[in-house]
Amino acid sequence: MTATNVILFDQAWTRFESWLAAHSPADHAALRPPATAAEISELEMQLGFALHPELRRLLERRNGVVEPESSSGPGPGVFPAGSILPLGHRLSTTSEIASMHEILVEVGEDNTEAELWDEEDLAGHLHLCVPFALPNDGGVAFVDHRPGPTYGHVYEMGIGSGDLDGTLWGSSLTEFVRAVTDALESGNPFMYYWPATFEHASGRTCVAWEIHS
């Protein structure tokens, strides 16, 4: 992984944020400030290995999103700004990443002990999968940290529904962010998730993703 890869990620992420700022300012405002070097170091210590450079750079740009309550405004209910990725995934903070990684480790250990997965199966290596975004339904989006050809791949896994096969969302975070931004700019789907707009009772709007099979 070279400095060029990180530069390409920066370009992709800047383009993504620029779209949010122009078309969904409430979602853009929900992005948290960068993680500190100390927060990232603490996360790596808890994981037991170094972060993929693109994931590290994502955290250096944004340390997750604020809680929905923090984005609420005038009018009834909670304004759900920040669910900016397909399936309503919200970027995770360093502390949320560490907590979810612990859960992934436990799930992986349970599967290994039960001998449910072959050695090459993704579910048998969840201790090397680092989550970066979570939806509301028990799923998780993560970056594969296994050494080899899948290093840096982005997957989504529906752990809450018992689906541990994982769906490839991109060969890298850069590719994933580019594809999501392409969908937002064009109105075309990312895989089978179509970008849409959710209008809150307060009159504000935010990004939503609709599933079209």
Side-chain angles (χ1 to χ4, degrees):
M1 184 61 58
T2 66
T4 301
N5 297 89
V6 176
I7 291 172
L8 292 175
F9 173 79
D10 261 338
Q11 292 172 345
W13 186 258
T14 297
R15 179 178 159 226
F16 176 61
E17 277 205 33
S18 295
W19 188 94
L20 290 178
H23 301 279
S24 189
D27 281 318
H28 187 261
L31 295 168
R32 289 168 51 91
T36 65
E39 288 172 326
I40 294 174
S41 294
E42 175 67 18
L43 172 59
E44 290 184 322
M45 184 180 71
Q46 292 173 307
L47 294 174
F49 51 85
L51 289 168
H52 186 280
E54 289 179 328
L55 181 52
R56 167 184 281 272
R57 187 57 182 153
L58 171 59
L59 291 170
E60 289 173 343
R61 296 290 299 266
R62 295 294 184 179
N63 190 17
V65 297
V66 298
E67 293 296 323
E69 291 79 5
S70 298
S71 299
S72 59
V78 174
F79 184 61
S83 300
I84 52 180
L85 301 177
L87 280 176
H89 279 73
R90 304 173 63 83
L91 292 175
S92 300
T93 64
T94 53
S95 60
E96 290 168 342
I97 290 172
S99 297
M100 188 61 199
H101 181 257
E102 290 182 1
I103 294 174
L104 290 181
V105 170
E106 293 175 0
V107 171
E109 289 175 347
D110 290 343
N111 288 325
T112 299
E113 291 174 1
E115 298 182 348
L116 297 177
W117 306 102
D118 295 331
E119 178 64 24
E120 66 274 11
D121 288 337
L122 183 61
H125 300 270
L126 292 180
H127 61 292
L128 292 175
C129 298
V130 182
F132 68 91
L134 300 171
N136 294 320
D137 64 356
V140 58
F142 57 79
V143 176
D144 190 349
H145 282 63
R146 290 177 294 173
T150 65
Y151 179 64
H153 284 196
V154 175
Y155 292 91
E156 199 281 332
M157 185 175 282
I159 293 179
S161 63
D163 175 16
L164 298 180
D165 290 331
T167 299
L168 181 65
W169 271 10
S171 62
S172 67
L173 263 178
T174 299
E175 179 185 282
F176 170 66
V177 172
R178 283 175 178 164
V180 169
T181 309
D182 286 344
L184 291 170
E185 290 179 346
S186 67
N188 293 322
F190 166 77
M191 302 181 70
Y192 38 85
Y193 307 110
W194 293 76
T197 298
F198 170 81
E199 184 172 350
H200 187 249
S202 66
R204 293 185 295 165
T205 60
C206 61
V207 172
W209 292 87
E210 298 177 348
I211 299 177
H212 291 219
S213 58

